[in-house]
Amino acid sequence: MLNTGSTSADSTLVANQGPPLWLLAELTYRCPLQCPYCSNPLEFANHKDELTTAQWIDVFTQARALGAAQLGFSGGEPLVRDDLVELIEAARELGFYTNLITSGMGLTEQKVNAFKQAGLDHIQISFQASDAEINNMLAGSRKAFDQKLAMARAVKAAGYPMVLNFVTHRHNIDEIEKIIELCLALEADFVELATCQYYGWAHLNRAGLLPTKAQLDHAEAVTQRYRLKLAAENHPCKLILVTPDYYEERPKGCMNGWGNIFLSITPDGTALPCHSARQLPVTFPNVTAHSLSHIWYDSFGFNRFRGYEWMSEPCRSCDEKEKDFGGCRCQAYMLTGDATQADPVCSKSPHHDKILAARAEADLPQPPIEALTFRNERNSRIICKS
């Protein structure tokens, strides 16, 4: 049964399982913004507990001992934690490569410099759009766009690689050229043009966010034109366009396989094999009750979808299963109600019609951007009660 707690794992799986390489520390679900595509759980208002500084450092220590090499600080907005410098210092002392994933809200030049001195390796700043009006409406703050611009420049001035993230969707993807031009003006080194992936709040708002195929094709063509132009100029900026699963015929090898290299710890200490796994009907272990070694190698939650024995057809006998691992378990569950099903993105899935229906829906007129359900505590509490 799926909702079984932490139990002993199959000895063969444990023997073949390597260590976690990437640790994501979701320090908090608190955030000053209201992005309608946030990957945090819809019911985040019910999750108020947060690990203490000492508990987080203990998690880092255990993860490093297991072999984790990269540590990301995320949220919510990790800047709302007043112990971030201390956490960065501890991570650096342990030998992690560290990156901060932030909206830039609450960031200052002083904090940028303090993080640099503490040993932070990398800061990624996210934008909602290339113009102030749409950016600020999506963010829910009239100051957001100007703050992001100022902090992007401060990060660059501090000697960090300039890493920008733009989440694209039907309301801003047509402005892809302006987005790229803004990134170049900010002297970006790496730009992730990340088309929404439909989990959390983005799944709730999918009809209002999923671009049409024509919009996506245009964005890909513009991005490729800029890539060729930048390459011809020997320009250092790298453009990465992440397309939505919904326009693929084969699923991605989600997280390079369930519980394979990625380990996420939520604010209250729940350990997950991916960002969105909390929604699955599986009881995942908590770092306050179990060691990371037990969680990673022995817990039921982390072994539930390792290997291939759990697979339904057509995945079980598919010659691509070692490449895509059956696709995303969370997506399979959201769209079929059964996490053992093939990811419906796959054209071989008996549920692929759900993806085709979503594509067809994207071609229909949609309500204005203001009609999206925004990620805020009020809406989260309404969802919790429903």
Side-chain angles (χ1 to χ4, degrees), residues 40-114:
N40 285 169
L42 298 177
E43 72 282 3
F44 74 86
N46 275 355
H47 300 290
K48 294 295 188 182
D49 294 340
E50 293 180 8
L51 297 180
T52 66
T53 306
Q55 286 173 318
W56 274 119
I57 292 174
D58 182 52
V59 168
F60 301 165
T61 303
Q62 291 186 60
R64 191 75 182 100
L66 287 178
Q70 181 168 332
L71 169 58
F73 297 104
S74 181
E77 175 48 68
L79 290 170
V80 304
R81 293 274 304 211
D82 59 12
D83 58 354
L84 191 49
V85 168
E86 187 175 351
L87 295 177
I88 292 168
E89 288 175 337
R92 167 47 67 92
E93 186 173 341
L94 288 165
F96 278 105
Y97 179 90
T98 54
N99 64 299
L100 173 64
I101 304 165
T102 176
S103 68
M105 302 303 290
L107 195 59
T108 63
E109 289 186 28
Q110 291 77 16
K111 287 182 180 179
V112 170
N113 293 328

Side-chain angles (χ1 to χ4, degrees), residues 71-381:
L71 169 58
F73 297 104
S74 181
E77 175 48 68
L79 290 170
V80 304
R81 293 274 304 211
D82 59 12
D83 58 354
L84 191 49
V85 168
E86 187 175 351
L87 295 177
I88 292 168
E89 288 175 337
R92 167 47 67 92
E93 186 173 341
L94 288 165
F96 278 105
Y97 179 90
T98 54
N99 64 299
L100 173 64
I101 304 165
T102 176
S103 68
M105 302 303 290
L107 195 59
T108 63
E109 289 186 28
Q110 291 77 16
K111 287 182 180 179
V112 170
N113 293 328
F115 296 157
K116 186 81 172 179
Q117 185 173 354
L120 184 67
D121 294 293
H122 173 150
I123 298 176
Q124 174 186 293
I125 295 181
S126 63
F127 279 76
Q128 281 71 32
S130 58
D131 67 274
E133 183 179 358
I134 296 178
N135 187 100
N136 292 346
M137 183 176 64
L138 286 168
S141 168
R142 289 175 294 178
K143 301 177 180 179
F145 189 69
D146 288 343
Q147 168 70 8
K148 290 170 183 289
L149 288 178
M151 290 304 100
R153 294 183 179 114
V155 167
K156 185 74 175 182
Y160 282 105
M162 170 57 64
V163 183
L164 300 180
N165 173 273
F166 278 80
V167 177
T168 61
H169 43 79
R170 70 183 298 122
H171 298 288
N172 68 1
I173 198 168
D174 293 333
E175 304 298 318
I176 194 76
E177 186 163 355
K178 292 182 180 179
I179 290 173
I180 294 173
E181 287 290 344
L182 175 60
C183 294
L184 295 176
L186 292 170
E187 301 180 83
D189 297 292
F190 298 92
V191 177
E192 184 177 28
L193 304 165
T195 313
C196 270
Q197 303 296 333
Y198 295 95
Y199 305 94
W201 293 80
H203 184 255
L204 180 68
N205 287 302
R206 187 189 69 198
L209 292 173
L210 184 66
T212 65
K213 182 64 162 59
Q215 285 182 301
L216 188 62
D217 287 346
H218 173 258
E220 290 181 313
V222 171
T223 303
Q224 183 61 14
R225 173 162 55 84
Y226 269 92
R227 284 175 179 149
L228 294 173
K229 179 176 180 289
L230 295 172
E233 297 172 354
N234 200 27
H235 195 288
C237 182
K238 305 298 182 186
L239 301 177
I240 302 168
L241 179 65
V242 182
T243 58
D245 292 356
Y246 279 60
Y247 287 106
E248 302 292 341
E249 295 301 313
R250 288 291 182 270
K252 61 181 180 286
C254 192
M255 311 311 293
N256 199 42
W258 178 274
N260 189 27
I261 62 173
F262 182 83
L263 170 62
S264 179
I265 308 297
T266 68
D268 66 3
T270 300
L272 302 174
C274 79
H275 310 69
S276 301
R278 195 164 198 160
Q279 69 187 297
L280 296 175
V282 176
T283 300
F284 289 100
N286 194 290
V287 298
T288 61
H290 301 280
S291 71
L292 275 192
S293 179
H294 168 81
I295 288 169
W296 183 256
Y297 290 109
D298 301 318
S299 71
F300 177 87
F302 275 74
N303 282 289
R304 179 63 182 90
F305 300 110
R306 282 176 174 154
Y308 307 106
E309 293 303 311
W310 57 269
M311 289 181 171
S312 304
E313 293 293 355
C315 294
R316 184 183 285 260
S317 55
C318 180
D319 59 4
E320 297 180 70
K321 67 184 179 184
E322 294 183 13
K323 179 172 69 174
D324 62 32
F325 313 105
C328 175
R329 296 304 88 223
C330 299
Q331 199 152 257
Y333 179 71
M334 286 187 296
L335 295 177
T336 75
D338 181 356
T340 70
Q341 288 290 313
D343 187 335
V345 164
C346 186
S347 62
K348 299 179 182 181
S349 165
H351 301 283
H352 189 59
D353 62 298
K354 296 180 183 295
I355 296 297
L356 299 179
R359 294 178 194 173
E361 184 181 38
D363 285 323
L364 301 174
Q366 296 296 332
I369 193 170
E370 295 85 355
L372 297 172
T373 302
F374 289 88
R375 184 257 196 221
N376 55 49
E377 188 140 336
R378 175 180 175 275
N379 285 336
S380 179
R381 291 193 180 283

